[in-house]
Amino acid sequence: MPNSIVTNEILRIKQRIINLSNLVLSQHEKAYKALIEHDEKLAKEVIEGDLKVDAEMDGIKNDISFVLTKEPLAKYLRRSVSYLIISKELERLGDYAKHIARFIINIQKPSASSIRRIKDIYDAVLNMMQELSDNINEERNERILKLVENDDLVDTKTLEVNRELIVSFSKRKHTEEEISERVYLLNLVNSLERAGDHIVNICESLYYIINGNYIKL
């Protein structure tokens, strides 16, 4: 199999990865809007859209398997395996949008404080996701390292929200509905924090593709 054909296949997989990244971003933008506007119809669209994310991830896996069986050269192997890891990380990111959508559907009307707390973290995560596709496309070390730095903001905001909720529980008694909402909220904000971690994992794979060595970012 000529190397030029393999190169074209790799470029096609790369474009599918970029498309998947944009699809996951779109899922989160819809989930964010549904959260702010308490739009259950849009939340259901996010849940249904997760099937498309899963299908695209499976398609990428099949394409990668094809390349690996045809031309297991070192540079293609490194890139192919990295793309497999990245596609799985993107699929996990898509799952978090689905979790947000289910929160909107399962909680009758989230309180203003819950919306504010999620929004503080979600803004930071969305900013990271909006940079992700360009990073996958351009493969520049400086941009990748800058994106990773933004995860510190997500971690800080997550810690702040966790502390706020602990203080809130200690100050007064809550109804069962309030407890249920806050427990759900804790799960969501920590899921968003893990979303930031998945983006960092993607950046580590991109760094490996560029430089040929793995480092913990």
Side-chain angles (χ1 to χ4, degrees):
M1 185 176 186
N3 285 350
S4 61
I5 297 178
V6 178
T7 300
N8 289 336
E9 282 296 312
I10 288 291
L11 290 174
R12 192 169 74 85
I13 293 169
K14 180 177 181 177
Q15 187 57 54
R16 290 194 74 170
I17 291 285
I18 293 169
N19 293 343
L20 178 57
S21 177
N22 288 327
L23 176 59
V24 170
L25 172 60
S26 175
Q27 282 282 95
H28 276 279
E29 287 174 339
K30 288 180 181 178
Y32 184 92
K33 183 178 180 182
L35 176 71
I36 300 303
E37 300 178 3
H38 195 66
D39 188 334
E40 291 192 15
K41 181 180 178 182
L42 188 57
K44 290 176 182 177
E45 284 183 23
V46 173
I47 293 172
E48 292 169 1
D50 189 63
L51 296 174
K52 188 175 181 180
V53 173
D54 292 344
E56 185 62 16
M57 192 260 187
D58 288 338
I60 291 169
K61 284 169 61 179
N62 290 335
D63 286 350
I64 290 170
S65 296
F66 173 78
V67 170
L68 291 179
T69 56
K70 297 298 180 182
E71 193 73 22
L73 298 177
K75 64 178 180 179
Y76 296 123
L77 180 62
R78 183 171 75 234
R79 189 173 284 273
S80 295
V81 171
S82 297
Y83 282 158
L84 185 60
I85 293 169
I86 290 171
S87 65
K88 182 60 180 175
E89 297 286 357
L90 288 169
E91 189 264 341
R92 291 294 302 278
L93 279 172
D95 285 341
Y96 294 134
K98 182 171 62 178
H99 294 166
I100 295 288
R102 284 177 174 165
F103 171 76
I104 296 161
I105 293 170
N106 292 335
I107 302 299
Q108 288 297 320
K109 180 67 176 177
S111 65
S113 61
S114 289
I115 298 296
R116 173 185 60 78
R117 286 162 174 152
I118 296 175
K119 186 176 181 297
D120 283 347
I121 299 172
Y122 218 160
D123 283 338
V125 171
L126 278 177
N127 285 336
M128 292 181 71
M129 292 186 63
Q130 286 160 355
E131 291 287 328
L132 193 55
S133 293
D134 287 341
N135 275 268
I136 294 170
N137 184 40
E138 294 183 11
E139 297 181 1
R140 289 166 49 194
N141 282 334
E142 64 273 16
R143 288 200 65 177
I144 290 169
L145 296 174
K146 183 178 179 181
L147 177 56
V148 168
E149 290 176 0
N150 294 334
D151 188 50
D152 291 337
L153 178 60
V154 175
D155 292 342
T156 299
K157 288 184 176 293
T158 301
L159 184 60
E160 288 175 357
V161 170
N162 276 277
R163 285 174 175 169
E164 282 184 19
L165 289 173
I166 291 171
V167 171
S168 173
F169 274 118
S170 65
K171 282 188 173 180
R172 66 178 180 85
K173 290 185 177 180
H174 292 75
T175 65
E176 287 189 12
E177 290 79 9
E178 288 174 330
I179 292 172
S180 176
E181 179 176 337
R182 280 161 173 75
V183 169
Y184 216 134
L185 177 62
L186 276 171
N187 288 330
L188 284 183
V189 296
N190 286 297
S191 291
L192 286 171
E193 189 270 337
R194 287 192 294 274
D197 291 340
H198 286 296
I199 294 171
V200 171
N201 291 343
I202 291 171
C203 289
E204 289 174 347
S205 292
L206 291 173
Y207 188 92
Y208 176 63
I209 287 172
I210 299 166
N211 302 287
N213 63 295
Y214 176 83
I215 64 170
K216 188 69 177 175
L217 298 178

